[in-house]
C-alpha cells in the first residue's frame, strides 16, 4: 500500500496478490488518507476496507 499526494489531492493505493491481482486507488482528504494509511500499516481495523469496493474502483 502507498500514501500519495499531488497538488493537495490525497489517496491511498492498495496492491493485491492472488486471487485479486491488481491495484486500487482510493481518494481521501489529507487527514483521512494519513489515518487510513497508518491504521492499515499497523494492522488495525481500516477506516475504509478497499476490498469491499474492488469491483467499483480497480485500476
Amino acid at each position: 500500500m502507498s500514501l500519495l499526494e499531488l497538488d493537495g489531492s490525497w489517496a491511498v493505493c492498495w496492491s493485491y496478490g492472488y486471487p485479486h491481482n491488481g491495484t486500487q486507488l482510493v481518494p481521501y482528504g489529507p487527514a483521512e488518507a494519513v489515518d487510513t494509511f497508518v491504521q492499515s500499516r499497523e494492522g488495525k481495523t481500516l477506516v475504509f476496507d478497499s476490498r469491499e469496493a474492488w469491483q467499483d474502483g480497480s485500476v
Side-chain angles (χ1 to χ4, degrees):
M1 81 177 283
S2 301
L3 178 63
L4 309 169
E5 186 270 331
L6 177 65
D7 296 333
S9 296
W10 290 77
V12 176
C13 182
W14 280 269
S15 295
Y16 296 98
Y18 179 83
H20 301 289
N21 298 334
T23 59
Q24 184 179 34
L25 188 65
V26 180
Y28 289 103
E32 190 179 24
V34 172
D35 185 50
T36 299
F37 179 80
V38 169
Q39 285 189 43
S40 185
R41 295 283 296 183
E42 293 177 350
K44 295 179 182 175
T45 302
L46 294 176
V47 172
F48 174 81
D49 185 348
S50 68
R51 292 170 294 182
E52 292 179 9
W54 178 258
Q55 299 299 323
D56 297 328
S58 300
V59 175

